[in-house]
Amino acid sequence: MATSVGFLAVIMWAMLALFTDVSGKVPPFQLTAMTFAIGACLGLLSWLWRPGAAQHLRQPAKVWALGVVGLFGYHFLYFTALRNAPAVDASLIAYLWPLFIVVGSALMPGERLRWFHVLGTLLGLAGTVLIVTKGGSVGFEAQYAFGYAMAGLCALTWSAYSLLSRRFASVPTDAVTGFCVATSVLSLISHLALEQTVWPESLTQWLAVLGLGLFPVGAAFYAWDFGVKRGNIQVLGASSYAAPLLSTLVLIAAGAAEPTVRVLLACLLITLGAVLAAKEMIFRKRV
């Protein structure tokens, strides 16, 4: 059950590219501030019929540090990487985080890393390479070393956040509301320092921003928190490679991309990888 909830986050992240594209020319940090504010409101609204939930914000400093570094740190490093390296290269490096989660899970208490977890994740990575590079080549150049380093730190930040969240499994998911508020405020500060404000220009663009805040930058983080704390983290890590594929399929369905053999092959690789990584859960013997 918890693993399925965690995978809902992956499904919601698949809407990220489409909603971001439709949202217009809103700068990254401004968009992050707006959407995380909406995501925070999701949690705050749920407290109307759960008044005691607000007390879950009373967490040790290390829990707050983990949550804020995980959510804001990931986005800050990702945008910094995109500013300082080609988007394809930076995206590929940043998307090593599912592999880091699967391999890093071997260090977690009570977890055992098996060969099919690793192989399934590598198949997913191969499919993601096809999606991100669009079948072309990747050329890493020394002049973009800083951007590559930021992308690598981005991948390490999200994988570390996901793995360490499991160590704080007793911390209720309501705490994510506070992390979203902090991320929104820090993103606003970054926006004011680094960007020029650009507001959405139409109702469609405003609805896209709202959709981002409700789903891929809102409910998805609550679902992911619940999943990594209580579900099968190896399966979640491997299945996360479905996000770029699902995102491409959403773009195709919306008419913003064309179906190709490359997409079909990526679909097969990612699906095979996810099934392989989850084979114990899917094919376990029923008692």
Side-chain angles (χ1 to χ4, degrees), residues 12-13 35-36 38-40 42 176 180 210-224:
M12 286 185 276
W13 286 332
T35 52
F36 268 101
I38 296 170
L42 282 178
V176 174
C180 287
L210 178 62
L212 280 169
L214 291 176
F215 299 109
V217 189
F221 289 107
Y222 297 97
W224 184 255

Side-chain angles (χ1 to χ4, degrees), residues 13-285:
W13 286 332
M15 296 183 283
L16 186 64
L18 178 62
F19 283 162
T20 300
D21 183 60
V22 177
S23 66
K25 298 180 180 180
V26 181
F29 284 115
Q30 180 188 345
L31 188 60
T32 302
M34 295 169 67
T35 52
F36 268 101
I38 296 170
C41 287
L42 282 178
L44 294 173
L45 287 174
S46 74
W47 294 355
L48 293 177
W49 59 89
R50 296 184 303 113
Q55 67 182 349
H56 294 149
L57 293 180
R58 298 177 182 172
Q59 300 297 332
K62 59 185 178 182
V63 173
W64 273 93
L66 175 64
V68 175
V69 170
L71 297 187
F72 173 72
Y74 170 82
H75 289 85
F76 182 85
L77 291 167
Y78 182 70
F79 294 143
T80 301
L82 291 182
R83 287 172 181 267
N84 292 277
V88 170
D89 300 1
S91 296
L92 277 179
I93 296 172
Y95 228 90
L96 288 173
W97 64 261
L99 179 61
F100 291 163
I101 287 178
V102 173
V103 175
S105 67
L107 304 175
M108 304 298 291
E111 300 291 348
R112 186 172 63 151
L113 184 62
R114 303 288 298 277
W115 66 268
F116 47 83
H117 293 136
V118 176
L119 181 56
T121 306
L122 291 175
L123 288 172
L125 176 59
T128 299
V129 170
L130 285 177
I131 290 292
V132 175
T133 63
K134 299 181 179 179
S137 60
V138 178
F140 295 105
E141 300 178 35
Q143 62 181 315
Y144 302 122
F146 178 73
Y148 300 153
M150 292 300 99
L153 286 175
C154 171
L156 287 171
T157 296
W158 188 251
S159 57
Y161 166 74
S162 300
L163 290 167
L164 291 175
S165 290
R166 197 171 182 86
R167 289 186 176 273
F168 296 105
S170 61
V171 176
T173 295
D174 283 306
V176 174
T177 301
F179 305 157
C180 287
V181 172
T183 299
S184 180
V185 171
L186 291 172
S187 296
L188 176 59
I189 293 172
S190 299
H191 162 64
L192 294 175
L194 302 170
E195 299 173 336
Q196 182 177 355
T197 301
V198 178
W199 295 107
E201 298 176 347
S202 65
L203 177 61
T204 299
Q205 292 182 3
W206 277 108
L207 288 175
V209 172
L210 178 62
L212 280 169
L214 291 176
F215 299 109
V217 189
F221 289 107
Y222 297 97
W224 184 255
D225 181 82
F226 185 82
V228 296
K229 286 178 176 176
R230 296 171 176 79
N232 187 315
I233 197 164
Q234 288 105 344
V235 172
L236 280 175
S239 62
S240 295
Y241 277 121
L245 171 64
L246 293 174
S247 179
T248 301
L249 295 178
V250 168
L251 290 172
I252 290 173
E258 294 293 331
T260 63
V261 175
R262 169 182 52 80
V263 172
L264 176 61
L265 180 57
C267 182
L268 292 174
L269 285 170
I270 292 172
T271 301
L272 178 60
V275 171
L276 183 60
K279 81 179 190 68
E280 278 189 334
M281 188 173 69
I282 298 173
F283 302 111
R284 63 188 173 197
K285 294 180 179 179

